[in-house]
Amino acid sequence: MADLRSEFIGIKSPNPFWLASAPPTDKEYNVRRAFDAGWGGVVWKTLGFDPHVVNVNGPRYGAVFGADRRLLGLNNIELITDRPLQTNLDEIKAVKRDYPDQAMIVSLMVPCEEEPWKKILPMVEETGADGVELNFGCPHGMSERGMGSAVGQVPEYIEMVTRWVKANTRMPVIVKLTPNITDIRKPAGAAKSGGADAVSLINTINSITSVDLDLFAPEPTIDGKGAHGGYCGPAVKPIALNMVAEIARDPELHGLPISGIGGVTTWRDAAEFLALGAGNVQVCTAAMTYGFKIVQEMISGLSDYMDSKGIASVDEIVGRAVPNVTDWNQLNLNYVAKAKINQDLCISCGRCFAACEDTSHQAIAMSEDRTFTVIDEECVACNLCVNVCPVEECITMEAMTPGSTDPRTGRVVQPDYANWTTHPNNPSAKAAE
Amino acid sequence: MGSDVFQPGITAGRLDPDSYAEHFSDLHPRLDAHEALVAADRCYFCHDAPCITACPTDIDIPLFIRQIATGTPDAAAKTILTQNIMGGMCARVCPTETLCEEACVREAAEGKPVLIGQLQRYATDHLQEQGIHPFSRAAATGKKVAVVGAGPAGLSCAHRLAMLGHDVVVMDARAKPGGLNEYGIATYKTPDGYAQTEVDWLLQIGGITLQCGTALGDGFTLEDLREGYDAVFLAMGLGGVNALDAEGSNKDGVRDAVDFIAELRQASDVAEVPIGRDVVVIGGGMTAVDAAVQAKLLGALNVTLVYRRGRDRMNASVFEQDLAASKGVRIVTHAVPVAVHGNGSVREIEFEYVDDAMKGTGQTLRLPADQVFKAIGQTLIGDGIPELDGRKIKVSETGRTSVAGVWAGGDCASGGDDLTVTAVAEGRDAAMDIHKVLVG
Ligand SMILES: Cc1cc2nc3c(=O)[nH]c(=O)nc-3n(C[C@H](O)[C@H](O)[C@H](O)COP(=O)(O)OP(=O)(O)OC[C@H]3O[C@@H](n4cnc5c(N)ncnc54)[C@H](O)[C@@H]3O)c2cc1C
Ligand SMILES: Cc1cc2nc3c(=O)[nH]c(=O)nc-3n(C[C@H](O)[C@H](O)[C@H](O)COP(=O)(O)O)c2cc1C
Ligand code: SF4
Ligand code: SF4
Ligand code: SF4
């Protein structure tokens, strides 16, 4: 079995799977059970000063479902911890004492002034925690009070607060970023300038998941009204992956440690975050959906994968896909592929046909007896049929070998690489040298 | 097990009351809302879906399933009923394993089709139990059509004609409407009087006058109908049965399976229906299986179904055969009856084994029997009816017969399988053609 031990900004944990700051890490009871179940670390539910906040007493979650009511996206309007500060600190200390090998990070959110930070940091240090995470991401409730994403959306504030924190603690500092901005590299850069040891992302995305069509109010509905919440779960993974990659491949930010968060549900999701540059991952919704036990699948899955690839340590995966993330204008326009349908696997549902015929390139033929075949003369290799086919691996994209002729364009497939920057149709193309 | 199962002869009350109730309850209990959503989620919404092609009434299955999945079962019911006004009964009795569900791509993919029949029932029940009839009549045309037979074909035709604005008179020889829905279909497929519930619901369209106890040929002829009405639709099913060609077949205890089934369907208490201890059913179709299974459910100790050819040639689907086997019916193939033995009443029945070409082998089989049910096919009866094609009324694609102004459909007409759903389709299509002829 592969070695899953992880070291992230000097913080050791038995595996790279941490629970994100959220209800699963809200109190001693949960965290002890999480560690017993196998989680490598936790980021404790965000602390603030007393008087502690209060949550709504009506529903705080909304959801988006896939087939069979599989939860694909979760929306919440929960705030930071709603328990007294000292209670949390005492519990953190007790748990850390009993679980010295697991990572214990404390998430913090206090007003945007230096004094409160100066005051809270020694209290956290006293618990023996391994580090702090600055919550600049919460998009609801706290932001209205000038905290959370209200800070996270202004790079100057991020830099300033990070600097205060670094000046007032010896603990490693992770800055948690909000995705509710246009360019994730700006807040990440600000965190770096402020001296952050790492960034973590993403926090939740502003969202309204659904509308009650009897009440005409957003859901979750509280006494007839609803407010936007924060979206997370499998549905946000693509957004999170892109943001992680944007940071990982930026020349200025290269090397800034990243804790990847957002929709991690299986070992595969985790491995994808790692490959795009995250040093470890944090999980919230998957644990909230299925309980703490899922980490067992993540552990066995990642280690199986590593064994099968001959990968000895988690670090060998980290960032491995980053060099292959590029811009559109760098993609090879001489690469030509065609969809191919495996007739043995095809169940003749016709979905590829409907998709291609109605919305793409009319490149799939349907015979009287419901045999579906790709018309190479029309296929632009858009991949839509692959995406709508209900049978795995039934439709594949086959690359054409250089030297053969693309029946769609009548052109011979070229062996060399050529991208848009030199393409004749590009008005600002530079002639190839 | 009741105390009377070993009692020889034909007697009622072989079982205790609980066993009767259990035996004759719904074959497939209806899906609840959650089960329906789970089942609906499996549909792929296929393009030009093969399940639609396989449905004799062409119900837009992917559409109605999507309507269920999106929380609008009443819209789903309307999609179903627009194509098939007896979608509720068909959902219960269609051999889906040889129709829509056989064609379902998930049958090809996983050997487990989308539960189309059960989803259809979920939607139609949902609508009908609210008493909603989602169709209304077009402006009156002033035309009058006679329909002979109030089975699925006749009622389907009548409903469509009424909807199009015609006035319809439906005559049926029996005391109750519904045809074989009421007198033939197995009890456990349509419990709780659904056949009559459905007829009442169907008649809500208005414009249909039902005359039960009125038989064509008994006081009036086809010519009379042609004179009195603008068009005639014949849907009298197959009222006769084939005769058993075996020595001694007129002994007591030998009867037609359809009569036994009708008696059972009409019984106010199934415990009062007498059944033999050793029952032999002759035949290989749906009627044979239904008679055998229901004999078993009534408490017969030994039920043997004897068919003259191989299992693969049986008209009853594999599902039906398996159902019979699971209820304890023994199936014997390649045997033809040669003699019924007994003194007044049947005691034993003798068969000869035959090869695939139906040639006698000389080897025989004697089965003890105190009751024998003949299920060897029904036939069309009636005088003065239009030209036949073989043993059924010859019709065109749209149900036109050899006689101008007379259409026919359902079991009495040529073409199509003898199924409820086929009868509904033919009734509907004839109505559309009648409409075309009447109003141009
Ligand atoms: C025992 C049995 C079980 C079956 N099980 C199934 C099943 O599970 N699934 C399935 O799809 N199909 C089944 N079938 C077949 C199905 O019932 C028939 O295909 C269907 O009912 C045919 O409909 P129809 O309207 O043509 O005829 P019928 O349902 O037979 O209706 C004909 C009507 O015409 C009336 N009539 C007859 N003669 C006259 C006359 N001279 N004047 C006036 N009225 C007359 C009759 O009283 C009857 O009401 C079964 C059949 C039998 C016999
Ligand atoms: C109910 C709920 C409460 C949350 N509370 C916090 C919080 O207090 N502090 C914080 O930094 N993030 C909080 N988050 C965000 C999560 O830590 C995480 O960043 C986000 O849910 C994305 O990860 P996921 O897709 O694995 O859930 C919360 C999320 C949820 C669902
Ligand atoms: S998840 Fe638990 S706390 Fe939340 S509503 Fe359900 S029962 Fe109540
Ligand atoms: S979508 Fe896939 S399974 Fe369906 S017809 Fe196309 S290739 Fe076959
Ligand atoms: S064939 Fe099956 S999956 Fe396809 S539309 Fe019909 S029911 Fe749905």
Side-chain angles (χ1 to χ4, degrees):
Chain A
M1 174 160 159
D3 182 2
L4 294 189
R5 275 176 305 173
S6 151
E7 183 168 340
F8 183 73
I9 55 170
I11 302 167
K12 294 196 165 77
S13 58
N15 60 51
F17 307 115
W18 292 6
L19 282 167
S21 174
T25 64
D26 184 41
K27 54 177 140 16
E28 180 172 354
Y29 179 82
N30 297 12
V31 175
R32 281 183 186 276
R33 293 183 67 248
F35 284 156
D36 290 344
W39 290 91
V42 302
V43 183
W44 198 276
K45 174 76 181 172
T46 308
L47 308 185
F49 279 117
D50 295 330
H52 57 78
V53 302
V54 295
N55 272 302
V56 293
N57 296 304
R60 44 182 106 156
Y61 304 120
V64 169
F65 298 103
D68 220 356
R69 236 179 121 81
R70 188 172 282 255
L71 191 140
L72 296 183
L74 186 70
N75 167 86
N76 84 88
I77 53 168
E78 179 176 289
L79 303 183
I80 64 173
T81 183
D82 55 7
R83 303 185 311 147
L85 179 58
Q86 196 55 50
T87 309
N88 278 300
L89 293 170
D90 292 346
E91 291 182 5
I92 292 169
K93 189 171 180 175
V95 177
K96 183 63 206 180
R97 190 189 56 221
D98 291 350
Y99 295 87
D101 298 335
Q102 275 74 10
M104 172 68 78
I105 313 299
V106 177
S107 171
L108 298 174
M109 185 195 287
V110 294
C112 201
E113 297 148 27
E114 189 167 8
E115 272 319 300
W117 290 100
K118 264 187 167 162
K119 190 171 155 203
I120 202 166
L121 286 163
M123 301 169 91
V124 176
E125 275 179 15
E126 205 274 321
T127 63
D130 300 301
V132 289
E133 184 180 82
L134 314 187
N135 179 350
F136 293 156
C138 183
H140 47 262
M142 303 314 294
S143 50
E144 294 156 21
R145 302 170 202 196
M147 294 183 268
S149 64
V151 178
Q153 286 168 335
V154 185
E156 293 74 21
Y157 291 172
I158 295 179
E159 185 175 339
M160 178 177 74
V161 177
T162 308
R163 189 160 284 137
W164 290 336
V165 174
K166 281 305 284 183
N168 288 290
T169 182
R170 57 173 171 74
M171 291 182 289
V173 176
I174 304 169
V175 172
K176 185 166 180 177
L177 304 179
T178 175
N180 298 309
I181 39 90
T182 342
D183 183 351
I184 197 69
R185 292 171 300 186
K186 297 289 185 311
K192 191 181 180 193
S193 318
D197 297 282
V199 289
S200 58
L201 67 158
I202 59 173
N203 208 311
T204 56
I205 306 173
N206 286 344
S207 65
I208 291 176
T209 39
S210 53
V211 176
D212 185 315
L213 290 177
D214 297 316
L215 297 172
F216 289 101
E219 292 178 309
T221 308
I222 296 181
D223 195 22
K225 305 272 187 229
H228 82 261
Y231 200 43
C232 49
V236 309
K237 185 186 104 176
I239 296 163
L241 279 180
N242 176 54
M243 289 185 162
V244 166
E246 285 292 285
I247 294 172
R249 75 188 184 97
D250 186 86
E252 313 264 293
L253 301 173
H254 189 75
L256 177 65
I258 302 168
S259 184
I261 321 172
V264 176
T265 310
T266 67
W267 73 268
R268 187 178 288 277
D269 300 325
E272 290 171 13
F273 272 95
L274 297 176
L276 284 178
N280 71 5
V281 295
Q282 298 183 27
V283 177
C284 168
T285 305
M288 291 183 69
T289 311
Y290 303 108
F292 291 141
K293 192 174 149 181
I294 48 157
V295 75
Q296 293 173 13
E297 166 268 313
M298 294 184 181
I299 290 169
S300 65
L302 186 61
S303 89
D304 267 22
Y305 167 75
M306 287 167 61
D307 288 346
S308 70
K309 288 267 172 200
I311 297 173
S313 77
V314 173
D315 286 343
E316 288 178 43
I317 310 174
V318 175
R320 212 150 151 174
V322 175
N324 292 329
V325 183
T326 185
D327 292 326
W328 190 93
N329 68 13
Q330 299 299 311
L331 298 174
N332 184 5
L333 294 175
N334 279 346
Y335 176 85
V336 182
K338 297 286 170 193
K340 192 160 188 295
I341 297 175
N342 180 330
Q343 299 299 338
D344 292 336
L345 294 177
C346 176
I347 58 171
S348 295
C349 70
R351 275 171 50 165
C352 55
F353 176 85
C356 192
E357 187 72 10
D358 288 359
T359 72
S360 282
H361 296 83
Q362 296 76 46
I364 293 182
M366 173 179 172
S367 72
E368 275 286 295
D369 68 345
R370 298 187 70 82
T371 303
F372 294 87
T373 41
V374 175
I375 307 166
D376 286 349
E377 286 72 13
E378 304 296 337
C379 175
V380 301
C382 72
N383 214 39
L384 181 63
C385 55
V386 174
N387 297 138
V388 303
C389 175
V391 182
E392 312 80 55
E393 309 287 320
C394 175
I395 311 183
T396 47
M397 279 296 156
E398 307 288 328
M400 292 191 69
T401 40
S404 56
T405 303
D406 177 353
R408 182 175 71 88
T409 57
R411 281 195 221 110
V412 175
V413 179
Q414 299 300 312
D416 47 335
Y417 162 90
N419 66 40
W420 173 247
T421 59
T422 55
H423 195 278
N425 286 21
N426 182 353
S428 47
K430 306 185 208 74
E433 292 172 12
Chain B
M1 197 183 265
S3 55
D4 283 344
V5 285
F6 301 114
Q7 181 85 28
I10 304 174
T11 67
R14 287 182 176 273
L15 305 173
D16 56 68
D18 288 348
S19 301
Y20 281 113
E22 190 196 317
H23 290 179
F24 290 94
S25 64
D26 230 328
L27 181 61
H28 299 292
R30 110 161 79 161
L31 300 180
D32 66 24
H34 167 71
E35 290 169 320
L37 284 182
V38 172
D41 270 346
R42 290 189 67 235
C43 174
Y44 285 145
F45 203 75
C46 295
H47 170 75
D48 188 10
C51 54
I52 305 181
T53 313
C55 171
T57 53
D58 296 304
I59 293 173
D60 192 337
I61 293 162
L63 178 60
F64 96 69
I65 294 181
R66 193 177 167 87
Q67 288 165 322
I68 293 175
T70 55
T72 52
D74 291 342
K78 193 167 176 193
T79 300
I80 295 161
L81 297 162
T82 301
Q83 285 298 110
N84 178 335
I85 196 65
M86 303 197 110
M89 181 59 79
C90 288
R92 290 163 165 80
V93 309
C94 272
T96 52
E97 64 279 2
T98 60
L99 299 170
C100 54
E101 291 180 14
E102 180 180 54
C104 174
V105 301
R106 299 211 71 164
E107 170 67 27
E110 297 115 39
K112 289 193 182 64
V114 173
L115 298 176
I116 301 169
Q118 296 192 59
L119 285 165
Q120 179 170 323
R121 173 161 174 203
Y122 172 77
T124 49
D125 279 5
H126 193 274
L127 182 95
Q128 291 177 341
E129 283 174 6
Q130 300 165 76
I132 298 172
H133 189 95
F135 305 103
S136 55
R137 297 187 70 193
T141 59
K143 304 284 183 189
K144 222 169 149 183
V145 183
V147 171
V148 182
L155 289 171
S156 157
C157 180
H159 186 276
R160 182 56 60 107
L161 288 169
M163 215 169 101
L164 294 169
H166 309 291
D167 285 329
V168 189
V169 176
V170 182
M171 302 148 214
D172 197 289
R174 299 246 201 189
K176 287 191 207 168
L180 290 171
N181 287 358
E182 175 61 32
Y183 293 95
I185 298 287
T187 317
Y188 46 81
K189 286 185 188 167
T190 169
D192 307 320
Y194 181 72
Q196 291 310 306
T197 306
E198 185 180 47
V199 172
D200 293 343
W201 173 86
L202 182 147
L203 293 176
Q204 284 179 35
I205 185 76
I208 303 174
T209 309
L210 192 61
Q211 294 176 356
C212 284
T214 311
L216 173 65
D218 182 9
F220 64 96
T221 63
L222 182 56
E223 269 319 300
D224 297 333
L225 292 180
R226 288 182 70 202
E227 265 167 40
Y229 295 85
D230 297 295
V232 180
F233 181 62
L234 297 176
M236 58 271 212
L238 300 173
V241 285
N242 291 327
L244 183 63
D245 181 22
E247 197 185 309
S249 59
N250 55 355
K251 291 208 175 6
D252 287 351
V254 180
R255 75 188 287 210
D256 290 322
V258 285
D259 292 343
F260 157 65
I261 291 168
E263 180 190 337
L264 180 62
R265 282 295 307 275
Q266 296 308 306
S268 52
D269 179 3
V270 287
E272 283 163 14
V273 178
I275 194 76
R277 185 185 72 175
D278 301 304
V279 176
V280 173
V281 181
I282 305 168
M286 202 125 56
T287 307
V289 167
D290 283 2
V293 168
Q294 293 181 110
K296 196 75 200 157
L297 297 179
L298 283 173
L301 192 60
N302 300 305
V303 178
T304 313
L305 185 151
V306 186
Y307 179 55
R308 58 192 176 141
R309 302 183 195 268
R311 268 210 185 202
D312 51 321
R313 299 282 298 270
M314 282 174 74
N315 268 331
S317 68
V318 172
F319 172 83
E320 307 263 352
Q321 294 177 34
D322 290 348
L323 178 73
S326 77
K327 299 290 178 196
V329 173
R330 175 184 172 209
I331 299 178
V332 172
T333 59
H334 294 102
V336 294
V338 287
V340 178
H341 303 290
N343 197 356
S345 298
V346 51
R347 281 276 149 265
E348 266 188 345
I349 175 162
E350 186 180 346
F351 295 88
E352 181 181 11
Y353 285 114
V354 293
D355 62 15
D356 277 332
M358 299 279 303
K359 208 165 122 292
T361 62
Q363 307 198 42
T364 58
L365 164 76
R366 283 170 84 113
L367 292 171
D370 34 36
Q371 201 167 26
V372 172
F373 294 129
K374 298 176 289 175
I376 51 177
Q378 286 98 260
T379 54
L380 174 62
I381 44 172
D383 301 321
I385 49 181
E387 185 188 326
L388 301 187
D389 173 6
R391 299 159 72 185
K392 295 186 167 197
I393 300 172
K394 183 177 165 184
V395 291
S396 71
E397 280 275 291
T398 54
R400 293 186 195 194
T401 67
S402 59
V403 179
V406 180
W407 282 255
D411 283 0
C412 70
S414 63
D417 294 324
D418 286 352
L419 293 174
T420 309
V421 64
T422 312
V424 174
E426 290 169 3
R428 176 199 68 193
D429 295 345
M432 296 309 292
D433 196 46
I434 292 170
H435 177 69
K436 207 162 95 190
V437 169
L438 293 190
V439 305

